[in-house]
Every structure is written in structure tokens, then in C-alpha cells.
């Protein structure tokens, strides 16, 4: 039940009004404007309207309204003057001073109640409209939905909506599926709305939009709206453009996983990814291979040509690896002159050998002059599932095969044959 603050002396008028209002409102009493304003200040969230004796407030120069006008927090509370006589022209001055209504004298209860409710509704509507205007000044998009997930209003139309640029087009009454171009995100929005309307728990998440080839990231902050009885009546939400922040985060994450010299994954990232793939996606019918790759005699390159030349050699090898193994294959630099490649879903061991040979030839052809004589690759290969089904097993087998190549003149590749080779 809504509460009204009645400010009036203890007289027949205040008693009559209290009795008239008591069926529809809870009446809080005060005998003067100062005590009434203190009650209003303390219980603002509870009080729907202020009723005040016309003679009392006129004698103080409409003090209660002047006090309320000093702070915008009271803007949504209507002030209604009451009198025990039929109003004359001078009584109407209260309306010129911002009072919402003038009631006199208590008569038909339904009429009085309706006029009070209309004053409350009108003030709410005015405040709501003014709030919309203020919210439109913010860069964020703020919107309200009803209990069925349909838009009531939003402060601005973003370009991910159908027909948003058309004259007189409105979002009101429409759902996300009705208006959004990205149906996947539209369905996600409606699903999260339904969960919130059912549970009463808010949610925050980020979506990616790619409208007209433009990548954007939007942060959505959603909260349920409750009425006075605690019933969920809708959803209020905030949309922030976090594209710049998200792209920076993605770039930092990429850098944390990328070897800066070669552009390949770093040791931790490549090993984690291969381990995850082997654990979750592979079974005995599939084949894949792990290649351990060393640049032969790389120390001699650094010693003879300098570290700048050495870095150029590693960067070139990284580029060749990246170009040779594309698509779903996983490649990384795991040490100073050591690389690792995981070949996904290959047909046979011959496919792994073909790619290893191709990689060696590409590297040999990439350098000229004295460097050409110094740069070659040694490659050890292990196969799934023959040599292991988990990363440590395949790593052990490929590393043993690599050691075999090094022991037998380098500049070659070898398939793991067993622990005793």
C-alpha cells in the first residue's frame, strides 16, 4: 500500500481526509512543514505524495515546496494542497508555485482518490521523461524491458538493429529476435532475460558483434526490476562499448602466448594446447603426429655471423613453419633453436614424412651465401596412437627420434622406432 504524508493541524479537515484516504493509502501525519519535511527526507522511498493544508503552507510562503525544490531527489513526489472550502482565485496561487493539485472539500471518495493517483502518475511520468532525456546524454545505452522481455525504451539505437534508421521507427514492444541482425546474440539475450526473470539474479557478459565487417565488443550489465511487493516487473540494462578494452586484452593475451621473434606460440602455450587436444579430441581411429625440430649447429651461426643474423635465421624458420603447417596444425618455438609442430588429423605416417621433408627443403632454400652452408634442420617424429596417447608420451618419443637424427649426422628426419634405437 502506497504511503501519503499529510501535513495539517489536528482539525476536522485533517481527520476527514485521513478517513477518506485510509482505504487506499497508508497516511503518515505531521502537524507542520518542518516536521513534515523531516519525515519526507527520512522516508522518501516510501512516500508517494504529500498532502498539505492550504492555509498552513500559504502562511509560510509555501515553505514545504521551497524546501523540496532545493534538491532534485524530491522531484518525483507531487505536493497536493487541501482546503475545507470551495477554491477561490487566490487559492489557485499554490498551483502557480508548483503544487500538483488542489483538493476541496472531502467529498466523493472515488473522485478524490483518482485525482491523487493521477497526480502521482503524472509526476512519475514527468520524472520518467526527464530521466530519459538525461540518460540520452550518456555514451552508454540504457534500456528497460517489461516482464515478457519486450523493450519499453532505450536511450539510443545502435546500428545492430533492423530498421533503426527509419523515420518514426521505435523499439518499444519488440523483442531482441524481432530487431537484432545477429540472431545468435539475440537468442542469447532472450535466454539470459528469461533466466533473470525466473531467478531474480542479474548477469554481466560480453558479446562480439561483426556487423558490416566491423568487429565490436559490447558489455551487457542486466538487473531485474522489482515492484513494491517484490515481484519482478522487468529488466533494466546497460550496454557499454568495450571494443578498445577487449582488443587490448586480447592483444595482451596473445603476446603472453606468442614468441615475439618468430610469431609462433611460445613453449607454455603450445604444450598446453597440444596436451588439451590429445586429452579431449583424439581416440584410436584418428592419426596425428608430433614433430620436434632443431636448427642444426645454431651456436655456430651466432658465433660466426652474430646474434642479429641468428635472430634472422630463427625468424625465417618460424615463418616457414607457419607457412608450411596451416589450418588446424599447432606450431611453437619451445627453446632457443627448438621448435615443435603438432599435425592434426593426418592420413598416414607418410604424410608426416612428406611435410617434414618439405620443411627441410624450404629452410635449405631460404638462405644463400655462407649462411646456406650453416642452416639445416633435424626433425624427430612420433605418431598417435602408436607412440603414445598423451603429450608426455609423444614428446618423449619425438625427442628420442630427434636425438637419433643428431647422432646420425643431423640434417634429416626420423620416425620413432622404439626406446632402444
Amino acid at each position: 500500500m502506497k504511503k501519503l504524508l499529510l501535513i495539517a493541524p489536528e482539525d476536522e479537515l485533517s481527520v476527514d481526509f485521513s478517513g477518506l484516504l485510509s482505504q487506499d493509502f497508508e497516511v503518515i501525519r505531521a502537524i507542520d512543514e518542518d516536521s513534515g519535511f523531516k519525515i519526507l527526507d527520512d522516508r522518501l522511498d516510501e512516500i508517494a505524495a504529500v498532502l498539505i493544508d492550504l492555509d498552513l503552507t500559504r502562511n509560510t510562503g509555501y515553505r514545504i515546496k521551497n524546501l523540496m525544490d532545493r534538491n532534485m531527489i524530491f522531484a518525483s513526489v507531487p505536493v497536493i494542497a487541501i482546503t475545507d472550502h470551495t477554491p477561490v482565485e487566490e487559492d489557485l496561487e499554490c498551483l502557480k508555485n508548483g503544487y500538483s493539485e488542489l483538493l476541496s472539500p472531502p467529498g466523493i471518495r472515488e473522485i478524490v482518490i483518482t485525482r491523487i493517483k493521477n497526480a502521482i502518475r503524472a509526476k512519475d511520468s514527468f520524472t520518467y521523461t526527464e530521466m530519459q532525456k538525461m540518460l540520452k546524454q550518456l555514451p552508454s545505452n540504457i534500456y528497460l524491458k517489461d516482464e515478457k522481455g519486450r523493450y519499453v525504451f532505450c536511450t539510443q539505437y545502435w546500428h545492430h538493429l533492423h530498421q533503426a534508421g527509419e523515420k518514426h521507427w521505435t523499439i518499444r514492444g519488440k523483442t531482441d529476435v524481432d530487431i537484432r541482425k545477429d540472431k545468435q546474440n539475440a537468442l542469447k539475450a532472450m535466454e539470459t532475460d528469461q533466466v533473470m526473470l525466473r531467478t531474480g539474479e542479474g548477469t554481466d557478459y560480453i558479446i562480439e558483434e561483426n556487423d558490416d565487417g566491423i568487429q565490436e565488443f559490447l558489455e551487457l550489465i542486466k538487473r531485474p526490476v522489482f515492484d513494491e511487493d517484490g515481484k519482478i516487473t522487468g529488466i533494466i540494462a546497460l550496454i557499454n562499448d568495450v571494443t578498445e578494452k577487449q582488443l587490448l586484452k586480447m592483444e595482451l593475451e596473445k603476446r603472453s602466448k606468442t614468441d615475439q621473434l618468430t610469431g609462433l606460440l611460445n613453449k607454455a602455450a603450445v604444450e598446453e594446447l597440444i596436451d588439451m587436444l590429445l586429452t579431449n579430441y583424439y581416440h584410436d581411429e584418428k592419426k596425428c603426429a608430433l614433430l620436434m625440430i632443431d636448427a642444426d649447429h645454431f651456436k655456430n651461426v651466432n658465433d660466426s655471423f652474430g646474434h642479429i643474423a641468428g635472430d634472422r635465421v630463427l625468424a625465417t624458420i618460424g615463418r616457414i613453419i607457419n607457412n608450411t603447417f596451416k589450418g588446424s596444425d599447432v606450431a611453437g618455438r619451445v627453446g632457443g633453436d627448438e621448435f615443435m609442430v603438432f599435425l592434426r588429423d593426418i592420413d598416414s605416417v607418410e604424410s608426416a614424412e612428406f611435410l617434414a621433408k618439405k620443411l627441410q627443403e624450404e629452410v635449405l632454400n631460404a638462405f644463400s651465401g655462407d649462411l646456406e652452408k650453416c642452416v639445416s634442420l633435424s626433425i624427430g617424429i612420433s605418431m598417435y596412437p602408436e607412440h603414445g596417447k598423451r603429450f608426455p608420451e609423444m614428446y618423449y618419443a619425438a625427442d628420442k627420434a630427434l636425438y637419433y637424427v643428431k647422432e646420425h649426422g643431423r640434417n634429416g628426419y626420423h620416425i620413432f622406432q622404439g626406446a632402444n634405437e
Side-chain angles (χ1 to χ4, degrees):
M1 185 178 287
K2 291 186 176 181
K3 297 179 176 63
L4 300 181
L5 173 61
L6 176 59
I7 305 174
E10 294 285 354
D11 57 15
E12 185 177 349
L13 178 66
S14 65
V15 172
D16 288 345
F17 262 101
S18 293
L20 191 72
L21 302 172
S22 60
Q23 295 182 43
D24 297 90
F25 300 98
E26 179 182 334
V27 180
I28 303 168
R29 298 288 303 275
I31 61 173
D32 58 52
E33 287 172 301
D34 286 336
S35 60
F37 182 75
K38 186 176 187 309
I39 293 171
L40 177 63
D41 195 25
D42 291 341
R43 304 176 67 175
L44 178 61
D45 291 341
E46 305 173 46
I47 295 172
V50 174
L51 275 67
I52 187 165
D53 181 273
L54 176 60
D55 291 334
L56 173 64
T57 190
R58 182 162 48 200
N59 291 336
T60 64
Y62 307 107
R63 176 172 172 75
I64 187 71
K65 190 65 172 68
N66 293 332
L67 290 171
M68 293 172 65
D69 286 345
R70 293 175 185 175
N71 195 322
M72 285 186 65
I73 65 171
F74 301 109
S76 62
V77 182
V79 183
I80 301 169
I82 59 175
T83 182
D84 59 358
H85 60 266
T86 302
V88 296
E89 187 173 347
E90 66 176 332
D91 294 335
L92 301 181
E93 186 162 343
C94 68
L95 302 179
K96 297 176 183 178
N97 282 274
Y99 285 56
S100 298
E101 261 283 12
L102 173 59
L103 300 178
S104 69
I108 301 174
R109 188 183 69 83
E110 288 78 6
I111 294 177
V112 174
I113 297 301
T114 298
R115 289 174 69 179
I116 292 174
K117 288 183 176 179
N118 285 343
I120 294 171
R121 191 176 299 113
K123 198 69 172 176
D124 283 345
S125 177
F126 172 78
T127 305
Y128 176 81
T129 302
E130 290 301 301
M131 184 62 70
Q132 274 189 274
K133 290 179 181 178
M134 288 187 286
L135 293 176
K136 285 179 181 291
Q137 306 304 312
L138 299 174
S140 300
N141 184 20
I142 301 169
Y143 65 80
L144 182 68
K145 292 180 177 178
D146 64 16
E147 72 281 0
K148 294 184 178 180
R150 299 172 301 194
Y151 284 93
V152 177
F153 87 94
C154 70
T155 57
Q156 53 186 287
Y157 292 156
W158 59 109
H159 63 87
H160 310 108
L161 306 183
H162 284 297
Q163 300 177 315
E166 291 187 7
K167 189 176 182 180
H168 305 309
W169 187 87
T170 178
I171 200 172
R172 187 174 293 114
K174 298 178 177 67
T175 68
D176 285 283
V177 169
D178 293 332
I179 60 176
R180 291 176 64 169
K181 298 177 183 177
D182 185 339
K183 296 305 178 185
Q184 184 175 350
N185 278 327
L187 289 171
K188 180 177 182 178
M190 295 186 71
E191 288 170 3
T192 58
D193 288 352
Q194 291 304 312
V195 172
M196 190 184 317
L197 291 168
R198 186 175 66 251
T199 65
E201 297 180 1
T203 184
D204 305 346
Y205 59 92
I206 293 175
I207 61 171
E208 180 180 354
E209 291 278 2
N210 287 282
D211 184 36
D212 298 326
I214 301 172
Q215 185 184 39
E216 295 176 286
F217 293 89
L218 304 176
E219 176 189 43
L220 284 86
I221 302 172
K222 299 182 178 181
R223 297 294 182 268
V225 177
F226 299 90
D227 64 13
E228 294 174 345
D229 299 321
K231 179 184 176 182
I232 300 175
T233 59
I235 295 169
I236 189 165
L238 182 73
I239 301 178
N240 289 318
D241 186 343
V242 293
T243 303
E244 186 175 342
K245 178 181 177 182
Q246 195 68 14
L247 290 176
L248 176 60
K249 179 182 176 182
M250 291 168 62
E251 179 62 25
L252 292 175
E253 288 179 353
K254 179 181 177 181
R255 290 183 184 182
S256 71
K257 296 179 179 181
T258 303
D259 173 61
Q260 296 302 304
L261 180 61
T262 62
L264 303 176
L265 293 174
N266 60 28
K267 183 177 188 296
V270 72
E271 291 184 354
E272 179 184 0
L273 181 54
I274 295 172
D275 183 61
M276 184 274 292
L277 290 170
L278 287 169
T279 301
N280 297 304
Y281 294 102
Y282 285 91
H283 42 81
D284 289 353
E285 303 88 66
K286 290 193 172 185
K287 282 191 176 294
C288 52
L290 183 66
L291 278 59
M292 294 293 296
I293 305 163
D294 264 14
D296 295 329
H297 305 298
F298 183 71
K299 185 177 182 300
N300 293 340
V301 174
N302 280 333
D303 291 344
S304 301
F305 303 97
H307 288 279
I308 294 177
D311 286 348
R312 183 164 62 85
V313 167
L314 294 176
T316 301
I317 293 173
R319 175 178 54 79
I320 294 171
I321 289 175
N322 191 53
N323 291 336
T324 304
F325 307 99
K326 293 184 177 180
S328 60
D329 297 331
V330 180
R333 181 187 177 198
V334 296
D337 58 352
E338 299 173 353
F339 300 84
M340 182 186 296
V341 176
F342 181 64
L343 302 178
R344 297 184 61 180
D345 304 327
I346 60 173
D347 299 329
S348 62
V349 64
E350 286 78 19
S351 296
E353 291 180 303
F354 171 80
L355 290 170
K357 184 176 181 181
K358 179 181 178 183
L359 175 62
Q360 285 186 310
E361 292 174 349
E362 291 284 344
V363 169
L364 287 173
N365 295 329
F367 302 98
S368 59
D370 292 335
L371 270 178
E372 184 180 8
K373 304 172 184 177
C374 299
V375 181
S376 62
L377 298 181
S378 295
I379 304 174
I381 305 171
S382 62
M383 300 295 301
Y384 176 101
E386 294 91 328
H387 305 141
K389 296 182 178 181
R390 292 294 178 264
F391 176 70
E393 299 166 353
M394 292 194 70
Y395 179 90
Y396 169 81
D399 194 53
K400 289 286 288 184
L402 174 62
Y403 183 76
Y404 178 90
V405 176
K406 290 182 176 181
E407 288 290 296
H408 291 78
R410 303 177 185 266
N411 189 22
Y413 63 86
H414 181 67
I415 307 292
F416 179 70
Q417 300 298 320
N420 296 322
E421 64 178 1

